[in-house]
């Protein structure tokens, strides 16, 4: 049987950690397959997806800037899983014989990391999310009405309004609050979990995304930033003896779930985690 081909489409894709993670998994399970980078410009996306079933590519990850356009294409030319439908974005494609299946594993990846890495169950809890961009939207749309309450704060009001409008289409909007800067103290004080979904922390010189004095005893911290082994936020939380995790686990589990969608096999999680950590160290 011919070697199977998988990969990631984006523009640019050069910095992706996914090849290391997936190629290590294929090797560990003795699957004759390779995961490659496909740099596809926005104008070329439809054509690329149109030829996918005949191209020999069995599965893809989708990254910036294609997640929404890929969802639109597959909506008319294939089928979407519930997560991709609700979020309005695809990050994983499985090429079937005649059509494409579009999925989104970002929300489930976050959830699995939250439960497995942080040992935090979000159901019935108060959650504060900093940032209302792509990553925050994936998380909030996956958590849905499960938590008692989700508060969102973004420096850009348009982003919080867009997230609220989107959430309202699927869930009881009384469970989602948009927080003003002056209400951050109160929202943090009553939260069980703080999620940093801003890019603050990606650079070592970045400040804290929230004032350290707001990290109260018992608060769990999930920092989506994954390019640093330890962010200022996670360091501060650890100093205060709080449970805290970086976003490496979300990155890992979105890949684990994608791998399982493509191969119908249980992913070798530990192997993938080791490969991811090694690739991050560069
Ligand atoms: P994004 O779409 O740019 O959204 C981030 C939002 O945060 C923007 O609206 C930004 O506003 C806002 N923001 C910036 N500073 C803020 C502050 N101090 N307080 C509140 N809001 C603030 O970015 P994204 O794609 O959602 O990614 C966000 C972070 O998640 C990045 O660090 C990314 O690497 C990480 N991420 C991790 C994973 C994972 O698997 N672990 C997956 C996806 C993303 P402005 O645009 O006005 O600055």
């Amino acid at each position: 049987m011919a070697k199977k081909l998988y990969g990631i489409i984006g523009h640019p894709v050069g910095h992706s950690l996914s090849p290391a993670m997936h190629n290590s998994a294929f090797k560990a399970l003795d699957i004759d397959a390779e995961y490659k980078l496909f740099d596809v410009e926005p104008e070329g996306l439809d054509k690329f997806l149109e030829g996918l079933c005949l191209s020999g590519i069995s599965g893809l990850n989708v990254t910036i800037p294609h997640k929404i356009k890929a969802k639109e294409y597959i909506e008319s030319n294939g089928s979407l899983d519930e997560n991709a439908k609700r979020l309005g974005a695809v990050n994983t494609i499985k090429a079937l014989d005649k059509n494409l299946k579009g999925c989104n594993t970002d929300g489930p990846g976050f959830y699995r990391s939250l439960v497995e890495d942080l040992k935090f169950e979000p159901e019935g809890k108060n959650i504060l999310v900093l940032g209302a961009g792509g990553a925050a939207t994936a998380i909030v749309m996956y958590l849905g009405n499960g938590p008692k309450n989700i508060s969102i704060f973004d420096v850009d009001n348009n982003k919080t309004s867009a997230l609220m409008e989107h959430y309202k289409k699927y869930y009881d909007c009384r469970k989602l609050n948009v927080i003003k800067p002056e209400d951050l103290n109160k929202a943090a004080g009553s939260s069980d979990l703080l999620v940093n979904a801003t890019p603050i922390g990606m650079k070592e010189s970045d400040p804290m995304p929230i004032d350290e004095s707001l990290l109260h005893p018992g608060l769990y911290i999930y920092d989506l930033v994954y390019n640093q082994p330890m962010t200022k936020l996670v360091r501060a939380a650890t100093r205060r003896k709080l449970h805290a995790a970086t976003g490496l686990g979300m990155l890992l589990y979105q890949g684990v779930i994608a791998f399982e969608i493509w191969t119908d096999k249980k992913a070798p999680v530990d192997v993938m985690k080791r490969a991811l950590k090694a690739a991050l160290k560069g």
Side-chain angles (χ1 to χ4, degrees):
M1 220 159 73
K3 183 181 224 157
K4 290 201 167 191
L5 193 55
Y6 297 86
I8 181 164
I9 42 166
H11 184 67
V13 283
H15 58 280
S16 174
L17 301 165
S18 295
M21 182 164 57
H22 289 292
N23 283 325
S24 73
F26 291 137
K27 197 167 163 208
L29 297 190
D30 212 10
I31 296 173
D32 188 16
E34 190 180 357
Y35 186 103
K36 288 185 167 179
L37 301 173
F38 297 101
D39 193 325
V40 177
E41 294 196 6
E43 311 76 61
L45 180 70
D46 280 10
K47 195 152 177 256
F48 188 89
L49 295 180
E50 204 181 295
L52 199 67
C53 292
L54 298 174
S55 69
I57 298 173
S58 304
L60 285 175
N61 283 133
V62 183
T63 189
I64 292 166
H66 299 316
K67 288 185 176 189
I68 295 172
K69 288 276 177 230
K71 176 251 167 194
E72 287 166 3
Y73 179 87
I74 297 175
E75 199 163 36
S76 327
N77 298 282
S79 62
L80 295 169
D81 78 353
E82 194 52 34
N83 296 322
K85 265 188 223 161
R86 283 193 181 204
L87 184 55
V90 155
N91 82 333
T92 300
I93 298 174
K94 182 168 182 164
L96 304 169
D97 282 347
K98 293 207 172 89
N99 62 20
L100 305 178
K101 172 101 193 271
C103 310
N104 201 298
T105 67
D106 284 333
F110 167 76
Y111 187 91
R112 196 159 154 191
S113 176
L114 196 60
V115 173
E116 300 205 7
D117 299 328
L118 205 54
K119 314 284 181 230
F120 183 88
E121 303 277 350
E123 286 74 21
K125 305 283 177 32
N126 289 318
I127 299 176
L128 171 60
V129 181
L130 304 177
T137 303
I139 287 169
V140 169
M141 289 306 292
Y142 190 73
L143 292 176
N145 274 164
K148 185 173 175 195
N149 176 268
I150 306 176
S151 299
I152 47 170
F153 173 71
D154 195 298
V155 286
D156 181 347
N157 292 334
N158 294 326
K159 294 265 177 67
T160 45
S161 303
L163 176 45
M164 176 58 100
E165 284 310 307
H166 194 74
Y167 185 87
K168 265 168 130 171
K169 287 186 207 154
Y170 296 92
Y171 301 113
D172 177 353
C173 65
R174 287 170 302 182
K175 291 228 176 184
L176 187 69
N177 290 332
V178 173
I179 298 296
K180 297 194 192 99
E182 58 270 28
D183 298 330
L184 250 183
N185 279 10
K186 199 168 156 223
S190 61
S191 293
D192 303 298
L193 169 72
L194 169 74
V195 179
N196 176 34
T198 76
I200 297 180
M202 293 181 74
K203 289 191 262 127
E204 247 191 294
S205 56
D206 279 349
M208 287 270 290
I210 193 166
D211 197 300
E212 185 172 340
S213 64
L214 299 183
L215 307 183
H216 62 79
L219 182 67
Y220 283 69
I221 313 280
Y222 198 98
D223 192 344
L224 256 61
V225 171
Y226 60 78
N227 70 331
Q228 305 285 343
M230 192 72 145
T231 60
K232 275 201 181 107
L233 176 60
V234 171
R235 207 174 286 127
T238 310
R239 244 190 339 260
R240 290 172 172 250
K241 307 220 175 339
L242 305 180
H243 296 276
T246 67
L248 193 77
M250 175 174 171
L251 186 67
L252 169 69
Y253 285 115
Q254 63 75 32
V256 162
I257 299 166
F259 183 92
E260 291 177 348
I261 289 171
W262 295 327
T263 62
D264 295 316
K265 290 188 188 342
K266 201 162 162 33
V269 176
D270 290 341
V271 169
M272 292 171 81
K273 188 190 259 180
R274 271 199 301 279
L276 198 53
K277 282 186 172 168
L280 259 176
K281 277 189 194 148

